[in-house]
């Protein structure tokens, strides 16, 4: 373990006025949710073009819904790990100002950070393709698939961003603004290869922020990181927290 890196990260965070966290799937890996890339990633077992595109959904909405309901069922037994607890306490204490995530699992909300910027949507919500009604998956009748809108009987789809789809403009604007205004950005568990999300650490860096990266391996963000902590998120965050009291 690189104690110097952890100590430097703690010092940056202690001295920060506007700490922003940006996460990817690696943040939730320690809660038991698979990442996308890598040997055990979802995209090594499933083909995104068959399950995570609008074309795939229109071709076979039952298959796509089955896949999403399977992923949702896996989330039921999962809890935010101790790294989430650290971030949620920093947020309550005012140390952490904003969280931007690519994750759709809703774990930040469950850990008590309600105002999270969810760039790629939330798997626990659905939206109607006809009348745009949005609601939680829990509230919908899933006894026969595909799920239909309780208001207009249109086709409901998962409220997530699929490959080839644009991100919600107001959500991207908020994320870019938080990145520009940050003085320290803590980047946790992302490969940094999916755009426009991957611009976020670069925007922060260009605006003068220090970049702290937590990842079990180097990523496309590492070249701009001021500090790299090569640990799992669930180990790194409590450790930084411990050093925060010492620096
Ligand atoms: P990836 O699966 O591409 O990358 C996960 C990253 O987390 C990798 O860099 C891993 O090294 C790292 N990692 C794995 N376990 C970790 C742990 N325990 N602690 C810390 N880091 C760990 O996931 P994302 O970067 O989130 O998009 O992928 C970006 C987007 O691609 C996703 O939001 C999704 C996907 O297709 C959409 O669904 C639109």
């Amino acid at each position: 373990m690189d104690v110097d890196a952890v100590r430097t990260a703690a010092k940056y965070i202690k001295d920060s006025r506007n700490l922003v966290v940006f996460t990817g799937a690696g943040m939730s890996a320690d809660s038991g949710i698979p990442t996308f890339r890598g040997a055990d990633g979802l995209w090594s077992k499933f083909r995104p073009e068959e399950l995570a595109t609008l074309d795939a959904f229109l071709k076979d909405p039952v298959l796509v819904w089955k896949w999403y309901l399977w992923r949702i069922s896996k989330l039921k037994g999962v809890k935010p790990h101790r790294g989430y607890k650290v971030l949620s306490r920093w947020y309550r204490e005012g140390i952490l100002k904003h969280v931007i995530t690519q994750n759709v699992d809703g774990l930040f909300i469950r850990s008590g950070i309600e105002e999270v910027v969810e760039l790629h949507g939330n798997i626990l919500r659905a939206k109607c393709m006809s009348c745009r009604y949005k609601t939680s998956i829990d509230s919908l009748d899933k006894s026969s698939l595909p799920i239909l809108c309780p208001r207009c009987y249109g086709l409901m789809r998962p409220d997530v961003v699929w490959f080839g789809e644009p991100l919600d403009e107001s959500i991207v604007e908020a994320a870019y603004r938080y990145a520009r205004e940050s003085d320290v950005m803590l980047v946790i568990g992302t490969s940094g290869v999916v755009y426009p999300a991957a611009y976020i650490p670069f925007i922060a860096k260009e605006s003068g922020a220090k970049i702290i990266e937590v990842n079990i391996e180097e990523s496309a963000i590492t070249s701009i990181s001021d500090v790299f902590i090569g640990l799992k998120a669930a180990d790194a965050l409590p450790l930084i927290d411990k050093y925060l009291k010492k620096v």
Side-chain angles (χ1 to χ4, degrees):
M1 197 258 298
D2 185 351
V3 178
D4 280 346
V6 176
R7 192 181 288 122
T8 308
K11 179 93 180 83
Y12 284 159
I13 290 171
K14 185 151 198 178
D15 294 342
S16 71
R17 284 169 293 101
N18 204 339
L19 172 67
V20 173
V21 159
F22 172 61
T23 78
M27 177 66 198
S28 292
D30 300 324
S31 283
I33 301 172
T35 61
F36 292 95
R37 293 169 187 82
D40 294 325
L42 286 175
W43 299 150
S44 72
K45 300 185 184 79
F46 302 98
R47 290 163 60 87
E49 59 274 28
E50 285 170 10
L51 296 163
T53 66
L54 182 60
D55 280 354
F57 183 69
L58 294 175
K59 193 170 141 211
D60 196 343
V62 173
L63 173 78
V64 173
W65 264 122
K66 277 187 183 159
W67 190 64
Y68 276 90
L69 292 176
W70 170 74
R71 284 177 62 194
I72 290 167
S73 75
K74 296 268 166 206
L75 275 181
K76 298 276 178 199
V78 152
K79 286 200 189 102
H81 58 68
R82 55 184 196 259
Y84 274 102
K85 298 215 166 81
V86 168
L87 294 183
S88 146
R89 182 161 45 72
W90 289 357
Y91 188 74
R92 279 198 311 278
E93 291 172 353
I95 300 169
L96 170 59
K97 300 296 192 293
H98 299 288
V99 173
I100 306 167
T101 188
Q102 298 164 85
N103 300 350
V104 295
D105 55 34
L107 283 198
F108 277 108
I109 295 171
R110 276 170 62 187
S111 74
I113 303 180
E114 303 235 326
E115 286 182 28
V116 52
V117 178
E118 292 178 315
L119 288 168
H120 294 162
N122 189 314
I123 200 176
L124 302 170
R125 275 194 318 259
K127 64 180 175 194
C128 175
M129 294 183 72
S130 301
C131 72
R132 315 310 291 170
Y133 173 61
K134 280 194 191 195
T135 191
S136 72
I137 297 278
D138 274 349
S139 72
L140 290 166
D141 177 7
K142 298 171 282 293
S143 55
S144 76
L145 296 179
I147 300 175
L148 297 181
C149 177
R151 294 205 170 161
C152 76
Y153 300 104
L155 192 56
M156 295 293 279
R157 57 164 280 178
D159 189 13
V160 297
V161 177
W162 282 325
F163 284 97
E165 291 188 316
L167 275 58
D168 182 304
E169 226 173 272
S170 62
I171 290 178
V172 176
E173 267 171 29
Y176 285 4
R177 190 172 70 250
Y178 295 155
R180 276 196 306 275
E181 291 171 357
S182 69
D183 59 357
V184 177
M185 180 169 279
L186 177 54
V187 179
I188 309 167
T190 181
S191 55
V193 297
V194 173
Y195 285 85
Y199 285 126
I200 286 166
F202 289 86
I203 292 171
K205 179 79 177 181
E206 264 177 31
S207 308
K210 296 281 186 206
I211 309 293
I212 303 167
E213 182 177 23
V214 171
N215 200 314
I216 51 168
E217 59 187 34
E218 294 199 354
S219 74
I221 312 295
T222 311
S223 63
I224 60 155
S225 297
D226 296 279
V227 182
F228 180 83
I229 301 175
L231 293 173
K232 291 180 173 183
D235 296 331
L237 289 162
L239 208 56
I240 299 172
D241 186 52
K242 193 171 127 197
Y243 274 81
L244 213 48
K245 290 160 193 138
K246 294 186 186 172
V247 289

